[in-house]
C-alpha cells in the first residue's frame, strides 16, 4: 500500500515476484504429497528425504525440518535427527516461531511416547527459547511450551514463572487450560 501511495510501487516487479512464488508452490506440491503419503505409510526414510528436499527448495518450507526430525526419530535415527534439528534451528527455521514451538512441543508434550532424552530436552530448550524471543515473550502458546520444557528438565520454579506469564497473556477462552497447567507446576506434581 505504501508503495502505491508514494508512487514507488513497481507492478512489473510485483507480477514477476508473484509468478515466481506461484511456480514455487506448484513445484512443491508433488513433494508435499509424496512426503505425506510416505509418512502415513510408515516409509520414514523416504519421508525424511522428501522433507529435506522441501527444506532445500525454499526458506518458506523450512518448517519441513520438523517433519524430517519426526521421520528420522520414527526410523530410530535419534542422533541424526537431533543433529539435523539443532542445525535447522540455526537456519531459516530458526526465524519461524511456529516451527520452533512445534519442534519443542513435539519433544515435551504430555502423553508423548517415552521420556525425552537430555539431548532432546536441550534441543527443545534451544527451540522454545528462540520461539519465545521471536514472539517477544508474549505468545501464550510459546510460553506454555517453554514452561513445559523447564518442567521436564526439573526446573519447577522457572516452569511456574513462565506458565504464569502464559496465563496472563492468554485469551479468556484459553486461560483456564493454561491455569490448570500452572496449578500442576505450583503443586509440584509430575
Amino acid at each position: 500500500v505504501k508503495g502505491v501511495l508514494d508512487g514507488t510501487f513497481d507492478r512489473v516487479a510485483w507480477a514477476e515476484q508473484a509468478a515466481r512464488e506461484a511456480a514455487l508452490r506448484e513445484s512443491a506440491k508433488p513433494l508435499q504429497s509424496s512426503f505425506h503419503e510416505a509418512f502415513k505409510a510408515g516409509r520414514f526414510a523416504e519421508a525424511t528425504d522428501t522433507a529435506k528436499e522441501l527444506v532445500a527448495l525454499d526458506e518458506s518450507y523450512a518448517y519441513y525440518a520438523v517433519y524430517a526430525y519426526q521421520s528420522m526419530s520414527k526410523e530410530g535415527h535419534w542422533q541424526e535427527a537431533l543433529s539435523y534439528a539443532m542445525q535447522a534451528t540455526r537456519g531459516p527455521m530458526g526465524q519461524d516461531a511456529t516451527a520452533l514451538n512445534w519442534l519443542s512441543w513435539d519433544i515435551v508434550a504430555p502423553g508423548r511416547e517415552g521420556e525425552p532424552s537430555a539431548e532432546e530436552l536441550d534441543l527443545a530448550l534451544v527451540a522454545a527459547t528462540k520461539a519465545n524471543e521471536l514472539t517477544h515473550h508474549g505468545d501464550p502458546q510459546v510460553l506454555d511450551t517453554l514452561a513445559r520444557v523447564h518442567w521436564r528438565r526439573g526446573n519447577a520454579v522457572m516452569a511456574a514463572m513462565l506458565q504464569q506469564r502464559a496465563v496472563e497473556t492468554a485469551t479468556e477462552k484459553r486461560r483456564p487450560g493454561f491455569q490448570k497447567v500452572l496449578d500442576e507446576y505450583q503443586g509440584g506434581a509430575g
Side-chain angles (χ1 to χ4, degrees):
V1 174
K2 182 181 182 280
V4 172
L5 295 176
D6 68 14
T8 61
F9 179 72
D10 183 344
R11 68 182 172 91
V12 172
W14 178 84
E16 290 172 351
Q17 179 64 28
R20 280 191 299 275
E21 290 172 3
L24 177 63
R25 282 191 303 276
E26 284 304 309
S27 68
K29 279 182 183 179
L31 289 171
Q32 290 172 309
S33 292
S34 294
F35 166 79
H36 291 290
E37 286 173 21
F39 193 87
K40 284 180 185 175
R43 298 188 314 267
F44 298 118
E46 180 184 336
T48 297
D49 292 343
T50 307
K52 286 180 176 182
E53 278 185 69
L54 281 156
V55 170
L57 183 65
D58 187 75
E59 286 183 6
S60 62
Y61 297 101
Y63 65 94
Y64 269 86
V66 179
Y67 285 128
Y69 167 80
Q70 291 172 332
S71 298
M72 285 183 264
S73 296
K74 287 188 178 290
E75 211 177 0
H77 297 248
W78 298 106
Q79 287 308 109
E80 181 184 355
L82 287 166
S83 177
Y84 180 81
M86 189 63 84
Q87 183 177 347
T89 67
R90 294 186 209 107
M93 190 185 84
Q95 297 306 308
D96 182 342
T98 301
L100 292 165
N101 192 59
W102 173 28
L103 174 62
S104 297
W105 189 252
D106 190 63
I107 295 168
V108 299
R112 174 189 191 260
E113 190 175 311
E115 285 296 312
S117 68
E119 293 87 359
E120 287 175 298
L121 289 174
D122 289 345
L123 171 61
L125 182 61
V126 167
T129 299
K130 276 188 127 174
N132 193 39
E133 290 166 1
L134 290 168
T135 58
H136 307 286
H137 316 281
D139 183 318
Q141 285 293 126
V142 172
L143 289 160
D144 178 64
T145 300
L146 184 55
R148 179 64 63 173
V149 171
H150 282 285
W151 179 254
R152 296 298 289 260
R153 291 172 63 92
N155 189 343
V157 172
M158 181 60 82
M161 287 174 37
L162 290 162
Q163 193 67 28
Q164 178 64 48
R165 179 80 175 126
V167 169
E168 292 166 359
T169 58
T171 62
E172 208 172 306
K173 182 179 179 181
R174 301 287 319 271
R175 196 168 293 132
F178 290 127
Q179 182 63 51
K180 183 178 177 183
V181 174
L182 176 59
D183 294 344
E184 173 189 352
Y185 295 163
Q186 289 175 333

